[in-house]
Amino acid sequence: MASETAAVLARMHRDLDGVEPEKITFRTWIPQGVRRSKLRLFVESLIDGVAHYVAKVHLDPADTMVAREWSILSSLVAHETPRPRAVAEISRGFVMSYVPARDFPDVFRTADTDRQRTMLLAGVEAAAALHTRHGRLSEAGAAEAAARYLPGLIGLGEGTLRHLEKTHVGPAHGDMGPWNLRVDDHGRIGLIDWEDFRPVGLPALDVLNLVLTTALLAFPDYQEHGWDWLYERVFHSRNAFRSAAGHALERYAMSTGTDKTTILGLVPLFCRAMIQRIEDQGRTADHLFYRPFAERFEAEGGRLHTKDGAW
């Protein structure tokens, strides 16, 4: 399949770009992580060593999300946030343009605290640009939108449901963890992996995904100390990351006309929706932070403010 896809890319370069075959090289990989089924093959084409196209191919006939992403990328209207451009549909997948930047986690891990703060701000600004590209976010239909993430809104407490009543509805990427953000040399953010995009979703969950999951990068010692230790650093103790995260949420709230407290009040919904998504894919979320964070957040009644006022 890899050689077959590479041959398709080579023909595309010849026909679309007029590039001679000897200038083209290829890189292939199959991301795995915790995924054991519905694996995808990626084939990247490079011209004189510079990445140009990326083909995404499903390796499991039951995997319908690759075709869904092609449909989404083909229909997205232009907006200022860099993203892959749909190029061509191919057997078992599609070809998209390469987003010329570095992975957000790779840059964040080695950045100083000032750069990390700037990156979080750039991330929420990219989110705001996506969420408001059709204008002001809607204030109606949040419960219906939430039920598409978490059927029956199972496990949500009264406090979360009250925040949901005030939540805005609009376009949502659906998987805006830091692994799906890329950073160019100027600090500009690009978004990849659009298979979970929803034209009518809950934008707040995108922002929570970015901020909460980036905490894993900011505090790599969580693997040694556990989830309660990480929760303290994200929500209670005074530290540079928590200050940067609070500032980023304020920037997002100002850019979109949403309320920061309402966004934070959806932490349990975000966590339980992620658990649902992972389990729907036949995987387990037991080793991830979502359930411990949701349960502790609810047990504390969403009390986030401490004397330093970071949140």
Side-chain angles (χ1 to χ4, degrees):
M1 179 57 67
S3 59
E4 176 182 326
T5 304
V8 170
L9 289 173
R11 287 197 301 273
M12 289 179 59
H13 278 299
R14 182 194 63 201
D15 297 341
L16 298 178
D17 310 310
V19 177
E20 297 298 325
E22 59 269 18
K23 295 185 176 182
I24 306 171
T25 56
F26 300 96
R27 186 171 75 94
T28 65
W29 68 95
I30 301 176
Q32 291 189 357
V34 297
R35 185 189 289 265
R36 294 293 177 265
S37 63
K38 298 184 179 179
L39 298 177
R40 287 82 179 268
L41 167 72
F42 288 81
V43 180
E44 178 182 88
S45 65
L46 303 93
I47 301 174
D48 292 330
V50 179
H52 195 81
Y53 294 140
V54 180
K56 186 174 185 177
V57 178
H58 73 75
L59 300 178
D60 183 344
D63 184 359
T64 62
M65 297 302 286
V66 173
R68 184 176 190 274
E69 185 174 9
W70 161 255
S71 177
I72 289 167
L73 289 177
S74 300
S75 61
L76 280 177
V77 298
H79 59 87
E80 63 185 66
T81 302
R83 62 169 175 84
R85 175 177 53 86
V87 177
E89 193 170 16
I90 61 175
S91 175
R92 298 193 185 186
F94 63 92
V95 178
M96 56 189 159
S97 60
Y98 175 80
V99 179
R102 296 173 60 196
D103 289 336
F104 186 100
D106 293 341
V107 180
F108 193 91
R109 287 189 186 99
T110 59
D112 60 26
T113 55
D114 287 341
R115 178 88 188 276
Q116 290 180 348
R117 185 184 186 92
T118 300
M119 289 177 66
L120 273 177
L121 287 174
V124 299
E125 287 171 350
L130 168 65
H131 296 157
T132 61
R133 76 182 196 276
H134 292 310
R136 184 175 177 82
L137 294 172
S138 171
E139 297 180 359
E144 292 83 355
R148 300 186 190 104
Y149 293 85
L150 185 65
L153 304 182
I154 297 172
L156 297 182
E158 291 183 4
T160 305
L161 293 174
R162 283 195 298 270
H163 285 294
L164 184 58
E165 293 175 354
K166 299 180 287 185
T167 300
H168 287 80
V169 173
H173 180 274
D175 192 12
M176 201 177 281
W179 48 79
N180 285 331
L181 273 64
R182 292 177 64 75
V183 188
D184 68 16
D185 292 338
H186 303 288
R188 192 180 187 196
I189 297 293
L191 295 175
I192 62 173
D193 201 348
W194 288 77
E195 64 185 45
D196 292 294
F197 173 78
R198 298 171 188 264
V200 181
L202 297 181
L205 302 193
D206 279 350
V207 183
L208 288 174
N209 196 349
L210 171 59
V211 172
L212 295 184
T213 311
T214 299
L216 303 180
L217 308 175
F219 302 107
D221 290 347
Y222 77 87
Q223 298 181 69
E224 176 184 350
H225 298 289
W227 298 128
D228 276 342
W229 178 89
L230 181 64
Y231 188 97
E232 283 291 327
R233 275 137 193 83
V234 173
F235 291 116
H236 292 311
S237 69
R238 188 170 186 172
N239 57 74
F241 171 79
R242 182 163 164 262
S243 174
H247 188 50
L249 285 180
E250 289 175 358
R251 177 74 62 85
Y252 176 83
M254 291 178 60
S255 299
T256 58
T258 56
D259 180 74
K260 183 178 72 169
T261 302
T262 298
I263 295 172
L264 285 167
L266 296 181
V267 166
L269 172 57
F270 161 69
C271 291
R272 297 192 186 282
M274 289 300 294
I275 294 169
Q276 182 72 43
R277 176 176 176 267
I278 291 167
E279 291 180 347
D280 285 347
Q281 295 173 350
R283 300 185 286 144
T284 179
D286 291 344
H287 61 296
L288 302 172
F289 72 85
Y290 306 120
R291 186 169 284 110
F293 270 38
E295 291 175 351
R296 181 162 173 184
F297 191 96
E298 291 165 339
E300 294 183 353
R303 293 189 298 274
L304 303 176
H305 294 279
T306 58
K307 61 183 179 180
D308 68 316
W311 286 117

